Amino acid sequence: MSAKIKLAIFASGTGSNYQAIEQAIRAGKLEAEVGLVVCDQPEAKVIEKARQNNRPVFIFKAVDYQEKAVFEQAIINELEMHAVDWIILAGYMRLVGSTLLKRYQGRMINIHPSLLPAFPGLDAIGQALKAGVKVSGVTIHYIDSGMDTGEIIAQEAVNVKIGMTHEQLQTTIQQIEHDLYPRTIQQLISKGDSF
Ligand code: GRF
């Protein structure tokens, strides 16, 4: 029997997508294991969630490092120590640099709360509401050097109802994310080999 694919989850905030991935693993819907959680915000709620699941957590502060290449190398050391195959960004609020890209491009994905290429970057939900679109949604894409520009893997649309608040649209979008992300990860890893 081959070893399970190991995921590293990168997050900066609440970690609801991280939790959804853990739940899918427990439910047997995602045949993988979380080998590491990486977080750049020492106060983030995702850290507590990871600890409750007994996951190794690598916490760093970008300001403690001279430049991005240095902290990304520190992350790579951790990823290698935990034999991580795929990097799953789930609310990681940083642009990935060339050091991580060189090592993991093609095995690094992100989830974004809009139908890319519409509304990349910060507060995609607020951007969609401001633009008055009737349809928004969720995109899962590979990471490249741009901001939410990598090749699209999966998308799901959401109707934006008249008068919907930011909170309501966010809740609807996150419900979709929590289902679509684990399903998409399962499809991807069942296609590829580990490193
Ligand atoms: C998600 O909505 C995701 O699309 C975006 O950041 C949010 C993270 O939420 N990239 P959470 O921390 O997983 O709850």
Side-chain angles (χ1 to χ4, degrees):
M1 208 178 79
S2 61
K4 280 199 180 140
I5 296 283
K6 277 201 178 182
L7 312 177
I9 314 295
F10 284 36
S12 305
T14 313
S16 69
N17 279 283
Y18 160 66
Q19 212 163 24
I21 289 166
E22 291 277 11
Q23 272 162 12
I25 291 172
R26 275 198 292 275
K29 293 179 184 168
L30 175 53
E31 292 157 314
E33 56 185 283
V34 176
L36 181 67
V37 174
V38 174
C39 182
D40 63 334
Q41 300 293 331
E43 307 299 326
K45 291 192 178 140
V46 68
I47 295 171
E48 186 54 34
K49 294 186 170 89
R51 294 217 164 113
Q52 277 165 7
N53 290 315
N54 291 317
R55 301 297 175 221
V57 188
F58 178 62
I59 305 165
F60 71 97
K61 284 205 285 184
V63 291
D64 292 342
Y65 297 81
Q66 233 173 359
E67 55 178 359
K68 186 175 282 198
V70 182
F71 70 68
E72 289 199 340
Q73 188 53 55
I75 294 173
I76 289 174
N77 295 347
E78 292 286 327
L79 295 168
E80 289 180 345
M81 199 167 22
H82 293 281
V84 165
D85 300 298
W86 282 79
I87 295 177
I88 311 297
L89 304 191
Y92 180 66
M93 302 300 282
R94 287 183 181 279
L95 261 187
V96 171
S98 57
T99 309
L100 259 175
L101 270 173
K102 242 182 252 160
R103 180 70 178 82
Y104 278 92
Q105 192 157 21
R107 304 274 182 158
M108 185 163 33
I109 64 172
N110 181 43
I111 189 160
H112 184 78
S114 76
L115 293 178
L116 290 171
F119 313 128
L122 287 178
D123 193 18
I125 291 169
Q127 291 185 57
L129 288 171
K130 201 166 163 214
V133 293
K134 299 294 173 201
V135 178
S136 191
V138 175
T139 302
I140 295 165
H141 64 93
Y142 285 106
I143 295 294
D144 66 9
S145 58
M147 167 85 82
D148 302 321
T149 51
E151 184 192 336
I152 291 171
I153 302 163
Q155 289 187 306
E156 199 166 316
V158 169
N159 288 324
V160 184
K161 298 189 188 124
I162 292 167
M164 225 177 185
T165 64
H166 192 287
E167 199 185 337
Q168 286 166 336
L169 183 53
Q170 182 168 330
T171 302
T172 310
I173 280 185
Q174 288 214 327
Q175 278 166 359
I176 288 174
E177 289 186 339
H178 298 164
D179 171 60
L180 187 64
Y181 216 7
R183 271 198 292 127
T184 304
I185 296 166
Q186 176 59 34
Q187 281 168 12
L188 285 172
I189 65 175
S190 59
K191 276 196 271 185
D193 301 315
S194 61
F195 279 129

